[in-house]
């Protein structure tokens, strides 16, 4: 991977820096990672702004991709992984990678009806995973929905507060 990285960087006018090498290795090892998780993984090897800049260059070169799997920072993964889209559990935050062929009926219909060609690498579908699916127990679902409502109100209150 280092030779591929070096060649990709050189051919685009960039240098292979130790930080870029560390960031790409971290993304590959972690699977799906936010810039903060990458920084934590590389330790003293790079600060957060360096990680963001490295990720930007690596994405420009097609070596990493990002998707929005959480409400905050984008989550990056290596393009050396097979193409996939993401199922994200809103309850436990579990991320499941799914082969894009599973979405083919929907993608074909979008193309036929709207002329729209989909980039599934950025696709994230949010819901509840099998372990968290409590729809079989109506009382539990009501409690879960109330908790989500309360959590949303708390987050809204936090956003409405003036920052210091």
């Amino acid at each position: 991977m280092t030779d591929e990285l070096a060649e990709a960087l050189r051919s685009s006018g960039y240098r292979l820096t130790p930080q870029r090498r560390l960031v790409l290795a971290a993304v590959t090892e972690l699977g799906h990672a936010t810039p903060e998780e990458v920084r934590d993984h590389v330790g003293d090897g790079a600060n957060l702004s360096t990680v963001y800049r490295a990720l930007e260059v690596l994405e420009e070169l097609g070596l990493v991709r990002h998707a929005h799997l959480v409400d905050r920072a984008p989550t990056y993964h290596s393009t050396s992984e097979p193409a996939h889209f993401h199922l994200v559990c809103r309850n436990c935050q579990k991320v499941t990678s799914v082969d894009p062929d599973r979405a083919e009926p929907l993608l074909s219909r979008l193309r036929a009806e709207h002329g729209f060609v989909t980039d599934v690498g950025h696709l994230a579908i949010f819901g509840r995973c099998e372990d968290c699916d409590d729809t079989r127990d109506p009382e539990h679902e009501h409690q879960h929905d109330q908790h989500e409502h309360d959590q949303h109100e708390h987050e809204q209150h936090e956003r409405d507060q003036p920052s210091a």
Side-chain angles (χ1 to χ4, degrees):
M1 178 54 99
T2 301
D3 290 340
E4 291 175 41
L5 175 58
E7 180 53 38
L9 287 164
R10 265 196 305 276
S11 66
S12 297
Y14 295 106
R15 290 186 359 254
L16 175 58
T17 64
Q19 292 84 3
R20 289 179 181 144
R21 185 186 345 244
L22 284 171
V23 168
L24 183 59
V27 169
T28 302
E29 290 170 24
L30 294 170
H32 293 92
T34 64
E36 290 80 6
E37 291 167 332
V38 171
R39 186 227 24 235
D40 293 346
H41 190 77
V42 300
D44 293 334
N47 63 37
L48 190 56
S49 63
T50 301
V51 168
Y52 270 101
R53 285 193 306 274
L55 288 168
E56 186 178 302
V57 169
L58 295 171
E59 186 165 32
E60 180 184 316
L61 297 174
L63 298 170
V64 300
R65 294 193 76 171
H66 80 274
H68 294 274
L69 308 182
V70 294
D71 294 334
R72 297 172 307 278
T75 302
Y76 291 83
H77 61 272
S78 171
T79 57
S80 64
E81 296 178 22
H84 61 277
F85 66 94
H86 307 92
L87 303 179
V88 183
C89 180
R90 287 202 184 274
N91 189 49
C92 70
Q93 285 70 53
K94 175 181 172 185
V95 176
T96 303
S97 297
V98 180
D99 187 295
D101 290 344
R102 304 299 296 163
E104 188 53 42
L106 171 63
L107 303 180
S108 294
R109 191 165 179 176
L110 290 172
R111 180 177 265 209
E113 293 178 10
H114 303 282
F116 192 79
V117 179
T118 310
D119 175 6
V120 296
H122 289 280
L123 179 62
I125 300 174
F126 293 83
R128 279 186 259 170
C129 69
E130 184 176 37
D131 294 338
C132 295
D133 182 17
D134 53 15
T135 59
R136 294 167 297 236
D137 179 354
E139 179 59 29
H140 190 213
E141 182 176 1
H142 172 73
Q143 291 169 355
H144 180 79
D145 290 344
Q146 184 63 44
H147 173 75
E148 284 187 347
H149 174 76
D150 293 345
Q151 181 68 29
H152 176 72
E153 283 189 354
H154 174 74
E155 290 170 358
Q156 185 65 40
H157 176 74
E158 292 287 325
R159 282 192 292 268
D160 292 342
Q161 295 298 312
S163 56

